[in-house]
Amino acid sequence: MENQTCLVEEYTIQQPSTVGVIVKGIENIKYAEKIKGTANGVYLMKGLREDMIAVFKPIQEEIFYSVGKKKGYKADREVAAFILDHPAQEGGERFGRVPPTSFARARYTNGETTDSESGSLQQYVQNQEWKQRPEVFAIDDVQRLSLIDVRFGNNDRHNGNILNSNTNGGSFIWTTWAQAAFPYPYYMVDYVKSLDVKNDLNTLKENGIELGERSEYIYKVQNKVLQAGVLGGYTPKDIGKFMTKVYRRKKEKAPRTIIDVMNCMSGIPEAWSVEESQALELVHEKTTSALDYNRSLPEENLKGSTSTYRR
């Protein structure tokens, strides 16, 4: 809908079946305000007093929807991130503090036309102004978000979409922050050890989310990289740089990034003729070698952007 503010006439919530979702205040939603300047449609769902309640991202306004590709891709990712953000301890808070998120359908009108759209609905979190000063974030917060970003492949984070609620913050921009140079504490290492990709994918299917063969493989690769890095004693900075597309002045034979590793495997016929589990172990092995190699280089030789591997 083109108008920036619309009256919400009706909405329904489709909660993930295996996860309790409580988006507070949804019964008070009255208006939907479309955010300008976003590639995908994003609406702030407000109450009568203009109070922010939730963020709605309709499938019909996703960037690939009009060309018939990846319908619901973004909405699925939003809900999947919440479902898979497991607590570090049973009954505890979610490890990455992903806000409650569910599928929803909303019908809203601007007085002339009425639209009915489905998508993801996420609890609105107040963003305290941080003026792009990374020192406001605790080491623990940066480490948590680094794990979430690598695990879920959040390669579109930047200064403009980092939440600061004094409990949460950071993404690939964190590779330049001092906090990212600290090794992960033991309880985060234990958390990564406990992650079960097969169980994750089964949980998503139980909640009606089918990633598809390609996306499932990417998720497995990302988790294999995460385990190789964290269990190998590497820092968020080490892993973040590895998950970054690097631009080099001269060609080097040694793999240094996830792109290099996958390109290297493409040149090894036997790498793709074996069982998937064996191929993923090869990813683990080459990731560890690349991380070792990167650590041996002067810092200034490693520069890049947040472009992660896409198979």
Side-chain angles (χ1 to χ4, degrees), residues 103-140:
F103 293 110
R105 174 175 288 277
R107 189 176 76 229
Y108 33 79
T109 180
N110 59 10
E112 299 178 357
T113 59
T114 300
D115 283 346
S116 180
E117 299 181 312
S118 57
S120 64
L121 185 74
Q122 185 173 81
Q123 184 78 60
Y124 176 80
V125 177
Q126 182 64 42
N127 185 18
Q128 298 182 14
E129 188 176 3
W130 64 288
K131 297 181 179 179
Q132 298 186 15
R133 292 180 295 110
E135 61 269 21
V136 304
F137 299 110
I139 294 173
D140 175 272

PDB file of all heavy atoms in Angstrom, residues 103-140:
ATOM      1  N   PHE A 103       4.080 -15.704  12.421  1.00  0.00           N
ATOM      2  CA  PHE A 103       3.437 -15.380  11.161  1.00  0.00           C
ATOM      3  C   PHE A 103       2.125 -14.656  11.463  1.00  0.00           C
ATOM      4  O   PHE A 103       1.489 -14.904  12.492  1.00  0.00           O
ATOM      5  CB  PHE A 103       3.149 -16.643  10.355  1.00  0.00           C
ATOM      6  CG  PHE A 103       4.381 -17.346   9.866  1.00  0.00           C
ATOM      7  CD1 PHE A 103       4.759 -18.567  10.389  1.00  0.00           C
ATOM      8  CD2 PHE A 103       5.173 -16.772   8.868  1.00  0.00           C
ATOM      9  CE1 PHE A 103       5.895 -19.217   9.943  1.00  0.00           C
ATOM     10  CE2 PHE A 103       6.313 -17.414   8.415  1.00  0.00           C
ATOM     11  CZ  PHE A 103       6.675 -18.632   8.955  1.00  0.00           C
ATOM     12  N   ALA A 104       1.719 -13.762  10.582  1.00  0.00           N
ATOM     13  CA  ALA A 104       0.481 -13.019  10.807  1.00  0.00           C
ATOM     14  C   ALA A 104      -0.134 -12.616   9.469  1.00  0.00           C
ATOM     15  O   ALA A 104       0.538 -12.598   8.430  1.00  0.00           O
ATOM     16  CB  ALA A 104       0.757 -11.770  11.645  1.00  0.00           C
ATOM     17  N   ARG A 105      -1.409 -12.293   9.508  1.00  0.00           N
ATOM     18  CA  ARG A 105      -2.111 -11.729   8.353  1.00  0.00           C
ATOM     19  C   ARG A 105      -2.814 -10.459   8.807  1.00  0.00           C
ATOM     20  O   ARG A 105      -3.433 -10.432   9.876  1.00  0.00           O
ATOM     21  CB  ARG A 105      -3.128 -12.727   7.792  1.00  0.00           C
ATOM     22  CG  ARG A 105      -3.993 -12.154   6.668  1.00  0.00           C
ATOM     23  CD  ARG A 105      -4.904 -13.216   6.072  1.00  0.00           C
ATOM     24  NE  ARG A 105      -4.142 -14.174   5.277  1.00  0.00           N
ATOM     25  CZ  ARG A 105      -3.778 -13.975   4.009  1.00  0.00           C
ATOM     26  NH1 ARG A 105      -4.106 -12.850   3.395  1.00  0.00           N
ATOM     27  NH2 ARG A 105      -3.096 -14.886   3.363  1.00  0.00           N
ATOM     28  N   ALA A 106      -2.696  -9.406   8.024  1.00  0.00           N
ATOM     29  CA  ALA A 106      -3.303  -8.128   8.381  1.00  0.00           C
ATOM     30  C   ALA A 106      -4.090  -7.557   7.209  1.00  0.00           C
ATOM     31  O   ALA A 106      -3.683  -7.699   6.047  1.00  0.00           O
ATOM     32  CB  ALA A 106      -2.224  -7.132   8.815  1.00  0.00           C
ATOM     33  N   ARG A 107      -5.219  -6.934   7.509  1.00  0.00           N
ATOM     34  CA  ARG A 107      -5.999  -6.213   6.502  1.00  0.00           C
ATOM     35  C   ARG A 107      -6.071  -4.756   6.923  1.00  0.00           C
ATOM     36  O   ARG A 107      -6.490  -4.446   8.038  1.00  0.00           O
ATOM     37  CB  ARG A 107      -7.405  -6.790   6.372  1.00  0.00           C
ATOM     38  CG  ARG A 107      -8.176  -6.190   5.178  1.00  0.00           C
ATOM     39  CD  ARG A 107      -9.522  -6.832   4.979  1.00  0.00           C
ATOM     40  NE  ARG A 107     -10.477  -6.347   5.967  1.00  0.00           N
ATOM     41  CZ  ARG A 107     -11.264  -7.126   6.693  1.00  0.00           C
ATOM     42  NH1 ARG A 107     -11.165  -8.441   6.574  1.00  0.00           N
ATOM     43  NH2 ARG A 107     -12.113  -6.612   7.556  1.00  0.00           N
ATOM     44  N   TYR A 108      -5.596  -3.886   6.058  1.00  0.00           N
ATOM     45  CA  TYR A 108      -5.604  -2.472   6.414  1.00  0.00           C
ATOM     46  C   TYR A 108      -6.050  -1.632   5.233  1.00  0.00           C
ATOM     47  O   TYR A 108      -5.982  -2.045   4.076  1.00  0.00           O
ATOM     48  CB  TYR A 108      -4.233  -1.996   6.920  1.00  0.00           C
ATOM     49  CG  TYR A 108      -3.035  -2.668   6.302  1.00  0.00           C
ATOM     50  CD1 TYR A 108      -2.560  -2.315   5.040  1.00  0.00           C
ATOM     51  CD2 TYR A 108      -2.359  -3.680   6.992  1.00  0.00           C
ATOM     52  CE1 TYR A 108      -1.465  -2.931   4.484  1.00  0.00           C
ATOM     53  CE2 TYR A 108      -1.248  -4.307   6.437  1.00  0.00           C
ATOM     54  CZ  TYR A 108      -0.809  -3.920   5.181  1.00  0.00           C
ATOM     55  OH  TYR A 108       0.286  -4.543   4.627  1.00  0.00           O
ATOM     56  N   THR A 109      -6.550  -0.420   5.554  1.00  0.00           N
ATOM     57  CA  THR A 109      -7.102   0.452   4.539  1.00  0.00           C
ATOM     58  C   THR A 109      -6.631   1.878   4.726  1.00  0.00           C
ATOM     59  O   THR A 109      -6.361   2.304   5.853  1.00  0.00           O
ATOM     60  CB  THR A 109      -8.648   0.418   4.569  1.00  0.00           C
ATOM     61  OG1 THR A 109      -9.157   1.287   3.557  1.00  0.00           O
ATOM     62  CG2 THR A 109      -9.180   0.863   5.926  1.00  0.00           C
ATOM     63  N   ASN A 110      -6.512   2.602   3.619  1.00  0.00           N
ATOM     64  CA  ASN A 110      -6.171   4.023   3.684  1.00  0.00           C
ATOM     65  C   ASN A 110      -7.397   4.891   3.411  1.00  0.00           C
ATOM     66  O   ASN A 110      -7.290   6.096   3.189  1.00  0.00           O
ATOM     67  CB  ASN A 110      -5.070   4.353   2.679  1.00  0.00           C
ATOM     68  CG  ASN A 110      -5.472   4.023   1.239  1.00  0.00           C
ATOM     69  OD1 ASN A 110      -6.623   3.712   0.952  1.00  0.00           O
ATOM     70  ND2 ASN A 110      -4.510   4.087   0.332  1.00  0.00           N
ATOM     71  N   GLY A 111      -8.585   4.250   3.419  1.00  0.00           N
ATOM     72  CA  GLY A 111      -9.821   4.961   3.169  1.00  0.00           C
ATOM     73  C   GLY A 111     -10.301   4.836   1.742  1.00  0.00           C
ATOM     74  O   GLY A 111     -11.477   5.043   1.452  1.00  0.00           O
ATOM     75  N   GLU A 112      -9.397   4.481   0.848  1.00  0.00           N
ATOM     76  CA  GLU A 112      -9.745   4.328  -0.560  1.00  0.00           C
ATOM     77  C   GLU A 112      -9.597   2.884  -1.033  1.00  0.00           C
ATOM     78  O   GLU A 112     -10.445   2.360  -1.746  1.00  0.00           O
ATOM     79  CB  GLU A 112      -8.870   5.245  -1.418  1.00  0.00           C
ATOM     80  CG  GLU A 112      -9.037   6.728  -1.097  1.00  0.00           C
ATOM     81  CD  GLU A 112      -8.110   7.597  -1.927  1.00  0.00           C
ATOM     82  OE1 GLU A 112      -7.300   7.032  -2.711  1.00  0.00           O
ATOM     83  OE2 GLU A 112      -8.173   8.829  -1.786  1.00  0.00           O
ATOM     84  N   THR A 113      -8.491   2.265  -0.642  1.00  0.00           N
ATOM     85  CA  THR A 113      -8.247   0.874  -1.012  1.00  0.00           C
ATOM     86  C   THR A 113      -7.935   0.062   0.240  1.00  0.00           C
ATOM     87  O   THR A 113      -7.504   0.597   1.267  1.00  0.00           O
ATOM     88  CB  THR A 113      -7.063   0.747  -1.992  1.00  0.00           C
ATOM     89  OG1 THR A 113      -5.888   1.287  -1.374  1.00  0.00           O
ATOM     90  CG2 THR A 113      -7.353   1.499  -3.279  1.00  0.00           C
ATOM     91  N   THR A 114      -8.167  -1.246   0.117  1.00  0.00           N
ATOM     92  CA  THR A 114      -7.910  -2.154   1.234  1.00  0.00           C
ATOM     93  C   THR A 114      -6.971  -3.259   0.773  1.00  0.00           C
ATOM     94  O   THR A 114      -7.170  -3.836  -0.307  1.00  0.00           O
ATOM     95  CB  THR A 114      -9.219  -2.773   1.760  1.00  0.00           C
ATOM     96  OG1 THR A 114     -10.081  -1.722   2.216  1.00  0.00           O
ATOM     97  CG2 THR A 114      -8.939  -3.739   2.905  1.00  0.00           C
ATOM     98  N   ASP A 115      -5.946  -3.537   1.570  1.00  0.00           N
ATOM     99  CA  ASP A 115      -4.995  -4.606   1.279  1.00  0.00           C
ATOM    100  C   ASP A 115      -5.056  -5.658   2.375  1.00  0.00           C
ATOM    101  O   ASP A 115      -5.251  -5.335   3.555  1.00  0.00           O
ATOM    102  CB  ASP A 115      -3.564  -4.078   1.200  1.00  0.00           C
ATOM    103  CG  ASP A 115      -3.300  -3.353  -0.121  1.00  0.00           C
ATOM    104  OD1 ASP A 115      -4.122  -3.497  -1.036  1.00  0.00           O
ATOM    105  OD2 ASP A 115      -2.278  -2.661  -0.207  1.00  0.00           O
ATOM    106  N   SER A 116      -4.917  -6.910   1.973  1.00  0.00           N
ATOM    107  CA  SER A 116      -4.816  -8.001   2.933  1.00  0.00           C
ATOM    108  C   SER A 116      -3.522  -8.739   2.639  1.00  0.00           C
ATOM    109  O   SER A 116      -3.340  -9.260   1.528  1.00  0.00           O
ATOM    110  CB  SER A 116      -6.006  -8.950   2.811  1.00  0.00           C
ATOM    111  OG  SER A 116      -5.897 -10.005   3.756  1.00  0.00           O
ATOM    112  N   GLU A 117      -2.602  -8.751   3.600  1.00  0.00           N
ATOM    113  CA  GLU A 117      -1.286  -9.339   3.375  1.00  0.00           C
ATOM    114  C   GLU A 117      -0.887 -10.227   4.539  1.00  0.00           C
ATOM    115  O   GLU A 117      -1.295 -10.019   5.679  1.00  0.00           O
ATOM    116  CB  GLU A 117      -0.234  -8.234   3.180  1.00  0.00           C
ATOM    117  CG  GLU A 117      -0.497  -7.338   1.985  1.00  0.00           C
ATOM    118  CD  GLU A 117       0.573  -6.282   1.803  1.00  0.00           C
ATOM    119  OE1 GLU A 117       0.931  -5.618   2.799  1.00  0.00           O
ATOM    120  OE2 GLU A 117       1.051  -6.117   0.670  1.00  0.00           O
ATOM    121  N   SER A 118      -0.051 -11.222   4.251  1.00  0.00           N
ATOM    122  CA  SER A 118       0.481 -12.108   5.283  1.00  0.00           C
ATOM    123  C   SER A 118       1.986 -11.928   5.351  1.00  0.00           C
ATOM    124  O   SER A 118       2.626 -11.536   4.373  1.00  0.00           O
ATOM    125  CB  SER A 118       0.136 -13.565   4.977  1.00  0.00           C
ATOM    126  OG  SER A 118       0.633 -13.934   3.700  1.00  0.00           O
ATOM    127  N   GLY A 119       2.578 -12.213   6.506  1.00  0.00           N
ATOM    128  CA  GLY A 119       4.016 -12.051   6.660  1.00  0.00           C
ATOM    129  C   GLY A 119       4.457 -12.335   8.076  1.00  0.00           C
ATOM    130  O   GLY A 119       3.786 -13.075   8.805  1.00  0.00           O
ATOM    131  N   SER A 120       5.569 -11.748   8.476  1.00  0.00           N
ATOM    132  CA  SER A 120       6.077 -11.953   9.837  1.00  0.00           C
ATOM    133  C   SER A 120       5.726 -10.755  10.719  1.00  0.00           C
ATOM    134  O   SER A 120       5.716  -9.618  10.255  1.00  0.00           O
ATOM    135  CB  SER A 120       7.599 -12.135   9.815  1.00  0.00           C
ATOM    136  OG  SER A 120       8.249 -10.957   9.359  1.00  0.00           O
ATOM    137  N   LEU A 121       5.429 -11.042  11.973  1.00  0.00           N
ATOM    138  CA  LEU A 121       5.117 -10.003  12.949  1.00  0.00           C
ATOM    139  C   LEU A 121       6.070 -10.177  14.122  1.00  0.00           C
ATOM    140  O   LEU A 121       6.113 -11.227  14.753  1.00  0.00           O
ATOM    141  CB  LEU A 121       3.672 -10.134  13.442  1.00  0.00           C
ATOM    142  CG  LEU A 121       3.195  -9.029  14.386  1.00  0.00           C
ATOM    143  CD1 LEU A 121       2.938  -7.736  13.603  1.00  0.00           C
ATOM    144  CD2 LEU A 121       1.921  -9.458  15.112  1.00  0.00           C
ATOM    145  N   GLN A 122       6.859  -9.129  14.394  1.00  0.00           N
ATOM    146  CA  GLN A 122       7.870  -9.208  15.450  1.00  0.00           C
ATOM    147  C   GLN A 122       7.650  -8.117  16.477  1.00  0.00           C
ATOM    148  O   GLN A 122       7.329  -6.977  16.148  1.00  0.00           O
ATOM    149  CB  GLN A 122       9.267  -9.062  14.850  1.00  0.00           C
ATOM    150  CG  GLN A 122      10.398  -9.251  15.854  1.00  0.00           C
ATOM    151  CD  GLN A 122      11.761  -9.268  15.174  1.00  0.00           C
ATOM    152  OE1 GLN A 122      12.316  -8.216  14.856  1.00  0.00           O
ATOM    153  NE2 GLN A 122      12.303 -10.463  14.953  1.00  0.00           N
ATOM    154  N   GLN A 123       7.832  -8.484  17.738  1.00  0.00           N
ATOM    155  CA  GLN A 123       7.705  -7.519  18.837  1.00  0.00           C
ATOM    156  C   GLN A 123       8.619  -6.326  18.598  1.00  0.00           C
ATOM    157  O   GLN A 123       9.797  -6.482  18.258  1.00  0.00           O
ATOM    158  CB  GLN A 123       8.089  -8.180  20.159  1.00  0.00           C
ATOM    159  CG  GLN A 123       7.911  -7.295  21.383  1.00  0.00           C
ATOM    160  CD  GLN A 123       6.456  -7.214  21.808  1.00  0.00           C
ATOM    161  OE1 GLN A 123       5.862  -8.242  22.131  1.00  0.00           O
ATOM    162  NE2 GLN A 123       5.888  -6.018  21.795  1.00  0.00           N
ATOM    163  N   TYR A 124       8.075  -5.124  18.748  1.00  0.00           N
ATOM    164  CA  TYR A 124       8.898  -3.922  18.595  1.00  0.00           C
ATOM    165  C   TYR A 124       9.806  -3.765  19.817  1.00  0.00           C
ATOM    166  O   TYR A 124       9.369  -3.924  20.956  1.00  0.00           O
ATOM    167  CB  TYR A 124       8.013  -2.677  18.462  1.00  0.00           C
ATOM    168  CG  TYR A 124       8.792  -1.376  18.387  1.00  0.00           C
ATOM    169  CD1 TYR A 124       9.375  -0.967  17.194  1.00  0.00           C
ATOM    170  CD2 TYR A 124       8.957  -0.574  19.521  1.00  0.00           C
ATOM    171  CE1 TYR A 124      10.100   0.211  17.127  1.00  0.00           C
ATOM    172  CE2 TYR A 124       9.682   0.602  19.459  1.00  0.00           C
ATOM    173  CZ  TYR A 124      10.246   0.994  18.252  1.00  0.00           C
ATOM    174  OH  TYR A 124      10.979   2.158  18.189  1.00  0.00           O
ATOM    175  N   VAL A 125      11.070  -3.484  19.566  1.00  0.00           N
ATOM    176  CA  VAL A 125      12.038  -3.264  20.644  1.00  0.00           C
ATOM    177  C   VAL A 125      12.546  -1.832  20.545  1.00  0.00           C
ATOM    178  O   VAL A 125      13.031  -1.410  19.495  1.00  0.00           O
ATOM    179  CB  VAL A 125      13.225  -4.249  20.550  1.00  0.00           C
ATOM    180  CG1 VAL A 125      14.255  -3.954  21.640  1.00  0.00           C
ATOM    181  CG2 VAL A 125      12.742  -5.682  20.650  1.00  0.00           C
ATOM    182  N   GLN A 126      12.428  -1.090  21.630  1.00  0.00           N
ATOM    183  CA  GLN A 126      12.881   0.291  21.647  1.00  0.00           C
ATOM    184  C   GLN A 126      14.380   0.367  21.378  1.00  0.00           C
ATOM    185  O   GLN A 126      15.177  -0.319  22.011  1.00  0.00           O
ATOM    186  CB  GLN A 126      12.578   0.938  23.004  1.00  0.00           C
ATOM    187  CG  GLN A 126      12.980   2.403  23.116  1.00  0.00           C
ATOM    188  CD  GLN A 126      12.203   3.296  22.159  1.00  0.00           C
ATOM    189  OE1 GLN A 126      10.992   3.126  21.997  1.00  0.00           O
ATOM    190  NE2 GLN A 126      12.874   4.227  21.522  1.00  0.00           N
ATOM    191  N   ASN A 127      14.750   1.185  20.420  1.00  0.00           N
ATOM    192  CA  ASN A 127      16.151   1.335  20.051  1.00  0.00           C
ATOM    193  C   ASN A 127      16.719   2.594  20.685  1.00  0.00           C
ATOM    194  O   ASN A 127      16.417   3.704  20.257  1.00  0.00           O
ATOM    195  CB  ASN A 127      16.293   1.408  18.526  1.00  0.00           C
ATOM    196  CG  ASN A 127      17.743   1.434  18.069  1.00  0.00           C
ATOM    197  OD1 ASN A 127      18.634   1.071  18.825  1.00  0.00           O
ATOM    198  ND2 ASN A 127      17.961   1.861  16.848  1.00  0.00           N
ATOM    199  N   GLN A 128      17.517   2.422  21.723  1.00  0.00           N
ATOM    200  CA  GLN A 128      18.128   3.565  22.385  1.00  0.00           C
ATOM    201  C   GLN A 128      19.254   4.119  21.513  1.00  0.00           C
ATOM    202  O   GLN A 128      20.061   3.379  20.982  1.00  0.00           O
ATOM    203  CB  GLN A 128      18.663   3.168  23.764  1.00  0.00           C
ATOM    204  CG  GLN A 128      17.567   2.683  24.708  1.00  0.00           C
ATOM    205  CD  GLN A 128      18.118   2.337  26.073  1.00  0.00           C
ATOM    206  OE1 GLN A 128      19.232   2.682  26.396  1.00  0.00           O
ATOM    207  NE2 GLN A 128      17.316   1.649  26.870  1.00  0.00           N
ATOM    208  N   GLU A 129      19.286   5.421  21.372  1.00  0.00           N
ATOM    209  CA  GLU A 129      20.272   6.060  20.512  1.00  0.00           C
ATOM    210  C   GLU A 129      21.687   5.749  20.986  1.00  0.00           C
ATOM    211  O   GLU A 129      22.024   5.939  22.144  1.00  0.00           O
ATOM    212  CB  GLU A 129      20.062   7.573  20.501  1.00  0.00           C
ATOM    213  CG  GLU A 129      20.922   8.301  19.491  1.00  0.00           C
ATOM    214  CD  GLU A 129      20.612   9.781  19.439  1.00  0.00           C
ATOM    215  OE1 GLU A 129      19.773  10.237  20.225  1.00  0.00           O
ATOM    216  OE2 GLU A 129      21.205  10.473  18.607  1.00  0.00           O
ATOM    217  N   TRP A 130      22.507   5.283  20.059  1.00  0.00           N
ATOM    218  CA  TRP A 130      23.887   4.947  20.439  1.00  0.00           C
ATOM    219  C   TRP A 130      24.916   5.744  19.660  1.00  0.00           C
ATOM    220  O   TRP A 130      26.109   5.692  19.944  1.00  0.00           O
ATOM    221  CB  TRP A 130      24.140   3.448  20.273  1.00  0.00           C
ATOM    222  CG  TRP A 130      24.061   2.913  18.878  1.00  0.00           C
ATOM    223  CD1 TRP A 130      22.947   2.735  18.118  1.00  0.00           C
ATOM    224  CD2 TRP A 130      25.146   2.454  18.078  1.00  0.00           C
ATOM    225  NE1 TRP A 130      23.265   2.201  16.899  1.00  0.00           N
ATOM    226  CE2 TRP A 130      24.612   2.006  16.841  1.00  0.00           C
ATOM    227  CE3 TRP A 130      26.524   2.350  18.276  1.00  0.00           C
ATOM    228  CZ2 TRP A 130      25.404   1.489  15.817  1.00  0.00           C
ATOM    229  CZ3 TRP A 130      27.309   1.832  17.248  1.00  0.00           C
ATOM    230  CH2 TRP A 130      26.746   1.405  16.043  1.00  0.00           C
ATOM    231  N   LYS A 131      24.448   6.535  18.682  1.00  0.00           N
ATOM    232  CA  LYS A 131      25.309   7.464  17.942  1.00  0.00           C
ATOM    233  C   LYS A 131      26.564   6.771  17.377  1.00  0.00           C
ATOM    234  O   LYS A 131      27.634   7.365  17.289  1.00  0.00           O
ATOM    235  CB  LYS A 131      25.714   8.639  18.833  1.00  0.00           C
ATOM    236  CG  LYS A 131      24.531   9.476  19.294  1.00  0.00           C
ATOM    237  CD  LYS A 131      24.977  10.650  20.169  1.00  0.00           C
ATOM    238  CE  LYS A 131      23.772  11.468  20.597  1.00  0.00           C
ATOM    239  NZ  LYS A 131      24.140  12.609  21.479  1.00  0.00           N
ATOM    240  N   GLN A 132      26.376   5.499  17.010  1.00  0.00           N
ATOM    241  CA  GLN A 132      27.447   4.722  16.386  1.00  0.00           C
ATOM    242  C   GLN A 132      28.730   4.727  17.211  1.00  0.00           C
ATOM    243  O   GLN A 132      29.843   4.788  16.680  1.00  0.00           O
ATOM    244  CB  GLN A 132      27.709   5.236  14.966  1.00  0.00           C
ATOM    245  CG  GLN A 132      26.483   5.082  14.074  1.00  0.00           C
ATOM    246  CD  GLN A 132      26.731   5.452  12.634  1.00  0.00           C
ATOM    247  OE1 GLN A 132      27.862   5.560  12.204  1.00  0.00           O
ATOM    248  NE2 GLN A 132      25.667   5.633  11.861  1.00  0.00           N
ATOM    249  N   ARG A 133      28.552   4.649  18.523  1.00  0.00           N
ATOM    250  CA  ARG A 133      29.696   4.541  19.438  1.00  0.00           C
ATOM    251  C   ARG A 133      29.727   3.107  19.961  1.00  0.00           C
ATOM    252  O   ARG A 133      28.989   2.753  20.880  1.00  0.00           O
ATOM    253  CB  ARG A 133      29.560   5.525  20.603  1.00  0.00           C
ATOM    254  CG  ARG A 133      29.672   6.990  20.189  1.00  0.00           C
ATOM    255  CD  ARG A 133      29.534   7.925  21.390  1.00  0.00           C
ATOM    256  NE  ARG A 133      28.198   7.833  21.980  1.00  0.00           N
ATOM    257  CZ  ARG A 133      27.934   7.289  23.160  1.00  0.00           C
ATOM    258  NH1 ARG A 133      28.907   6.741  23.881  1.00  0.00           N
ATOM    259  NH2 ARG A 133      26.712   7.264  23.616  1.00  0.00           N
ATOM    260  N   PRO A 134      30.565   2.236  19.399  1.00  0.00           N
ATOM    261  CA  PRO A 134      30.566   0.813  19.769  1.00  0.00           C
ATOM    262  C   PRO A 134      30.889   0.554  21.226  1.00  0.00           C
ATOM    263  O   PRO A 134      30.555  -0.506  21.748  1.00  0.00           O
ATOM    264  CB  PRO A 134      31.625   0.214  18.846  1.00  0.00           C
ATOM    265  CG  PRO A 134      32.482   1.346  18.424  1.00  0.00           C
ATOM    266  CD  PRO A 134      31.572   2.532  18.356  1.00  0.00           C
ATOM    267  N   GLU A 135      31.516   1.504  21.901  1.00  0.00           N
ATOM    268  CA  GLU A 135      31.879   1.274  23.297  1.00  0.00           C
ATOM    269  C   GLU A 135      30.662   1.137  24.218  1.00  0.00           C
ATOM    270  O   GLU A 135      30.801   0.704  25.371  1.00  0.00           O
ATOM    271  CB  GLU A 135      32.790   2.402  23.808  1.00  0.00           C
ATOM    272  CG  GLU A 135      32.196   3.792  23.782  1.00  0.00           C
ATOM    273  CD  GLU A 135      32.488   4.536  22.494  1.00  0.00           C
ATOM    274  OE1 GLU A 135      32.787   3.854  21.486  1.00  0.00           O
ATOM    275  OE2 GLU A 135      32.418   5.777  22.501  1.00  0.00           O
ATOM    276  N   VAL A 136      29.463   1.471  23.728  1.00  0.00           N
ATOM    277  CA  VAL A 136      28.272   1.337  24.574  1.00  0.00           C
ATOM    278  C   VAL A 136      27.853  -0.122  24.712  1.00  0.00           C
ATOM    279  O   VAL A 136      27.050  -0.466  25.580  1.00  0.00           O
ATOM    280  CB  VAL A 136      27.086   2.162  24.030  1.00  0.00           C
ATOM    281  CG1 VAL A 136      27.466   3.612  23.877  1.00  0.00           C
ATOM    282  CG2 VAL A 136      26.545   1.579  22.726  1.00  0.00           C
ATOM    283  N   PHE A 137      28.391  -1.008  23.857  1.00  0.00           N
ATOM    284  CA  PHE A 137      28.020  -2.416  23.901  1.00  0.00           C
ATOM    285  C   PHE A 137      29.004  -3.214  24.739  1.00  0.00           C
ATOM    286  O   PHE A 137      30.222  -3.059  24.609  1.00  0.00           O
ATOM    287  CB  PHE A 137      27.977  -3.001  22.489  1.00  0.00           C
ATOM    288  CG  PHE A 137      26.969  -2.342  21.590  1.00  0.00           C
ATOM    289  CD1 PHE A 137      27.381  -1.555  20.533  1.00  0.00           C
ATOM    290  CD2 PHE A 137      25.610  -2.503  21.816  1.00  0.00           C
ATOM    291  CE1 PHE A 137      26.462  -0.944  19.701  1.00  0.00           C
ATOM    292  CE2 PHE A 137      24.680  -1.898  20.995  1.00  0.00           C
ATOM    293  CZ  PHE A 137      25.101  -1.106  19.938  1.00  0.00           C
ATOM    294  N   ALA A 138      28.463  -4.093  25.561  1.00  0.00           N
ATOM    295  CA  ALA A 138      29.301  -4.967  26.383  1.00  0.00           C
ATOM    296  C   ALA A 138      29.939  -6.049  25.515  1.00  0.00           C
ATOM    297  O   ALA A 138      29.421  -6.397  24.449  1.00  0.00           O
ATOM    298  CB  ALA A 138      28.466  -5.616  27.479  1.00  0.00           C
ATOM    299  N   ILE A 139      31.061  -6.587  25.982  1.00  0.00           N
ATOM    300  CA  ILE A 139      31.737  -7.668  25.252  1.00  0.00           C
ATOM    301  C   ILE A 139      30.785  -8.839  25.039  1.00  0.00           C
ATOM    302  O   ILE A 139      30.692  -9.403  23.948  1.00  0.00           O
ATOM    303  CB  ILE A 139      32.991  -8.132  26.022  1.00  0.00           C
ATOM    304  CG1 ILE A 139      34.029  -7.007  26.064  1.00  0.00           C
ATOM    305  CG2 ILE A 139      33.596  -9.374  25.362  1.00  0.00           C
ATOM    306  CD1 ILE A 139      35.221  -7.313  26.950  1.00  0.00           C
ATOM    307  N   ASP A 140      30.045  -9.192  26.075  1.00  0.00           N
ATOM    308  CA  ASP A 140      29.107 -10.308  26.014  1.00  0.00           C
ATOM    309  C   ASP A 140      28.065 -10.097  24.924  1.00  0.00           C
ATOM    310  O   ASP A 140      27.715 -11.028  24.185  1.00  0.00           O
ATOM    311  CB  ASP A 140      28.423 -10.470  27.376  1.00  0.00           C
ATOM    312  CG  ASP A 140      27.345 -11.531  27.381  1.00  0.00           C
ATOM    313  OD1 ASP A 140      26.186 -11.191  27.059  1.00  0.00           O
ATOM    314  OD2 ASP A 140      27.653 -12.695  27.694  1.00  0.00           O
TER     315      ASP A 140
END
